[in-house]
Amino acid sequence: MRRKPLFPPPQEVGSQKKLRNKGRQDYTVLTVNGRVCVTRIRWHGSDGSRTVVDGYLDRAERTISVGVREMACRLNGGGTNFDRTAENLAQVAQVSASGETLRTLIEDEGRKVVKAFREGTLPITWTAKDCVVEPGTAGPTRVYFGCDGVMAPMVTEGEKAKRRQNIKAKRRGRTCRPLPRAKAGADQKYKEFKLVTYYDEPKKHRLVLGTKGNGQEAGRIMRRLAGRIDLAAAAEKVGNVDGAPWIRGQVEGRCLPLDALGLDFYHLAENVHKARRVVYGESDSAGMVWAGDILHAFKHDGYDLTWEKLVTWRALWRGPKRAAADALMNYVRERREMILYPEFAAKGWQIGSGPTESCCKTLTQRLKGSGMRWDADNAEAIMALGSLRESNLWKTYWQTQLSQTT
């Protein structure tokens, strides 16, 4: 006796005709519990064949589950290379995948994060109204803005050509699939990536994102993230940056609603000590005293009085020492409007960009291992995963991914 099917065949959306059963087919998914094999029916209609149940198993029809993707990305953040990440994944979760498979998976996931930030589909868990200076009180709200550039190692065109030649040599005499089209390499060994940060006084709330793009793209990120956290709603909006002209240009051009944009004190000190080493030598005690006095004056007396001290000091020197003094004075004169340390201190505002500098280090740590070289888009993807951690959005992102598959 012929068995009656438990469920009727699915129908085409337009014609409502029943689809034809093409037999069963296996489908495997790599999950945190190992590789799972599912046998399902493939159906055929006028528009081709498909397996209807796949949409319920996984809307994107991925062959690697969200759980595995998250675990791989998490382990990669503290790893040194993709092969080591594959070893750790196998040890921790008994999930076997090659380093190359994980490289593709992790970089693709990072690009999804970049897209989610760009399109505003990643929920941000805080706004400027949450950034109270003293948590637990009804005091004023304060948000800090930071921006910086950080270098990352790139794969040059010459290195790519050499790698391709080595691969062809290994494949010689063997039947292999054709190599994919060569991807263009970088024109220099290092590229500057731009980072934009927003954070509150106690560092409880932070939003970070890096980009491979130029200053214009960084400016768009400044404006976009400011809108996501409703920066204008904060009672106090303070910027601390290194004084690079492109940053100031973007802040002004994008009309960021900042109350003040200050020069990071550390970068000022770097330039003071650079002049000191030329004029006094590396470890001369008189030079140390002079540098300490100048920095104290900038911090407590402000620009005008300290400028007068620099003018008097400059007159003492000739030749290369005079040139070093001129370079320092040009640096501070060009940033006169940003040297606001007494004003910042009076309002209880920070004068350093430590949180931004910290993000420059943590977001590129995975990129700067021994011998590492990257394509710019892949480096940006790895940095985007780091942005999730630094922004405390890791859990939020993966919950969003899960919701899209159910």
Short mmCIF file of all heavy atoms in Angstrom, two decimals, residues 17 27 29 31 52 58 99 129 142 203 219 221 266 275 278 315 329 341:
data_model
loop_
_atom_site.label_atom_id
_atom_site.label_comp_id
_atom_site.label_asym_id
_atom_site.label_seq_id
_atom_site.Cartn_x
_atom_site.Cartn_y
_atom_site.Cartn_z
N LYS A 17 0.59 26.18 -8.26
CA LYS A 17 0.77 24.80 -8.66
C LYS A 17 1.63 24.08 -7.63
O LYS A 17 2.54 24.66 -7.03
CB LYS A 17 1.43 24.71 -10.03
CG LYS A 17 0.56 25.20 -11.17
CD LYS A 17 1.29 25.02 -12.50
CE LYS A 17 0.40 25.48 -13.66
NZ LYS A 17 1.09 25.30 -14.96
N TYR A 27 22.13 18.08 3.88
CA TYR A 27 22.51 19.48 4.12
C TYR A 27 23.25 19.50 5.45
O TYR A 27 22.76 19.00 6.46
CB TYR A 27 21.24 20.34 4.18
CG TYR A 27 21.42 21.78 4.60
CD1 TYR A 27 21.77 22.75 3.66
CD2 TYR A 27 21.20 22.17 5.92
CE1 TYR A 27 21.90 24.08 4.04
CE2 TYR A 27 21.33 23.50 6.29
CZ TYR A 27 21.68 24.45 5.35
OH TYR A 27 21.80 25.76 5.73
N VAL A 29 25.46 21.54 8.50
CA VAL A 29 25.68 22.83 9.16
C VAL A 29 26.72 22.63 10.26
O VAL A 29 26.60 21.72 11.08
CB VAL A 29 24.37 23.38 9.78
CG1 VAL A 29 24.64 24.73 10.45
CG2 VAL A 29 23.30 23.52 8.72
N THR A 31 28.01 23.58 13.62
CA THR A 31 27.47 24.25 14.79
C THR A 31 28.43 24.11 15.95
O THR A 31 29.43 23.38 15.88
CB THR A 31 26.11 23.65 15.20
OG1 THR A 31 26.34 22.37 15.81
CG2 THR A 31 25.20 23.48 14.00
N VAL A 52 12.65 24.04 0.41
CA VAL A 52 11.84 25.00 1.15
C VAL A 52 12.23 25.06 2.62
O VAL A 52 12.29 26.13 3.23
CB VAL A 52 10.34 24.66 1.02
CG1 VAL A 52 9.49 25.64 1.82
CG2 VAL A 52 9.93 24.66 -0.44
N ASP A 58 17.80 27.96 8.29
CA ASP A 58 18.72 29.10 8.32
C ASP A 58 18.34 30.03 7.18
O ASP A 58 18.54 29.69 6.02
CB ASP A 58 20.17 28.62 8.16
CG ASP A 58 21.18 29.73 8.35
OD1 ASP A 58 20.84 30.92 8.18
OD2 ASP A 58 22.33 29.41 8.65
N GLY A 99 42.27 26.82 9.01
CA GLY A 99 42.58 28.22 9.23
C GLY A 99 42.10 29.10 8.09
O GLY A 99 41.63 30.22 8.31
N LYS A 129 22.22 61.14 26.86
CA LYS A 129 21.46 61.37 28.09
C LYS A 129 21.85 60.40 29.20
O LYS A 129 21.57 60.65 30.38
CB LYS A 129 19.96 61.26 27.80
CG LYS A 129 19.44 62.36 26.87
CD LYS A 129 17.97 62.20 26.60
CE LYS A 129 17.46 63.29 25.67
NZ LYS A 129 16.00 63.13 25.37
N ARG A 142 27.96 64.49 30.16
CA ARG A 142 29.17 64.92 29.45
C ARG A 142 29.63 63.81 28.52
O ARG A 142 29.71 62.65 28.92
CB ARG A 142 30.28 65.25 30.45
CG ARG A 142 31.58 65.73 29.81
CD ARG A 142 32.64 65.93 30.88
NE ARG A 142 32.19 66.90 31.89
CZ ARG A 142 32.71 66.99 33.10
NH1 ARG A 142 33.67 66.17 33.49
NH2 ARG A 142 32.25 67.90 33.96
N LYS A 203 34.02 56.30 31.58
CA LYS A 203 34.35 55.28 30.56
C LYS A 203 33.39 54.11 30.58
O LYS A 203 33.70 53.03 30.07
CB LYS A 203 35.78 54.75 30.74
CG LYS A 203 36.84 55.78 31.07
CD LYS A 203 37.05 56.78 29.98
CE LYS A 203 38.25 57.67 30.28
NZ LYS A 203 38.18 58.36 31.57
N GLY A 219 35.20 61.80 8.72
CA GLY A 219 34.25 62.86 9.05
C GLY A 219 32.81 62.39 8.98
O GLY A 219 31.98 62.76 9.81
N ILE A 221 31.85 59.37 9.55
CA ILE A 221 31.65 58.52 10.73
C ILE A 221 31.44 59.38 11.97
O ILE A 221 30.58 59.09 12.81
CB ILE A 221 32.84 57.57 10.91
CG1 ILE A 221 32.88 56.54 9.78
CG2 ILE A 221 32.79 56.87 12.27
CD1 ILE A 221 34.08 55.64 9.79
N TYR A 266 49.30 65.29 25.97
CA TYR A 266 50.42 64.39 25.70
C TYR A 266 51.13 64.76 24.40
O TYR A 266 52.36 64.75 24.32
CB TYR A 266 49.92 62.94 25.63
CG TYR A 266 50.97 61.95 25.24
CD1 TYR A 266 51.86 61.45 26.20
CD2 TYR A 266 51.10 61.49 23.93
CE1 TYR A 266 52.84 60.52 25.85
CE2 TYR A 266 52.07 60.57 23.58
CZ TYR A 266 52.94 60.09 24.54
OH TYR A 266 53.90 59.19 24.19
N ALA A 275 61.79 69.45 21.03
CA ALA A 275 62.63 70.65 20.98
C ALA A 275 63.71 70.61 22.06
O ALA A 275 64.86 71.01 21.83
CB ALA A 275 61.76 71.89 21.13
N VAL A 278 66.85 68.62 21.09
CA VAL A 278 67.73 69.29 20.13
C VAL A 278 68.52 70.41 20.80
O VAL A 278 69.73 70.57 20.58
CB VAL A 278 66.90 69.85 18.94
CG1 VAL A 278 67.80 70.67 18.01
CG2 VAL A 278 66.23 68.72 18.18
N ALA A 315 65.05 83.51 21.64
CA ALA A 315 66.09 84.50 21.34
C ALA A 315 67.48 84.07 21.83
O ALA A 315 68.49 84.65 21.41
CB ALA A 315 65.72 85.85 21.96
N MET A 329 57.39 76.59 18.25
CA MET A 329 56.51 77.76 18.29
C MET A 329 55.49 77.72 17.17
O MET A 329 54.33 78.12 17.35
CB MET A 329 57.35 79.03 18.25
CG MET A 329 58.23 79.20 19.49
SD MET A 329 59.16 80.74 19.52
CE MET A 329 57.86 81.93 19.77
N TYR A 341 43.90 74.54 28.40
CA TYR A 341 44.03 73.71 29.60
C TYR A 341 43.47 74.37 30.86
O TYR A 341 42.77 73.71 31.64
CB TYR A 341 45.49 73.30 29.79
CG TYR A 341 46.07 72.63 28.56
CD1 TYR A 341 47.19 73.15 27.92
CD2 TYR A 341 45.46 71.50 28.02
CE1 TYR A 341 47.71 72.54 26.79
CE2 TYR A 341 45.96 70.90 26.88
CZ TYR A 341 47.10 71.43 26.26
OH TYR A 341 47.59 70.84 25.13
#
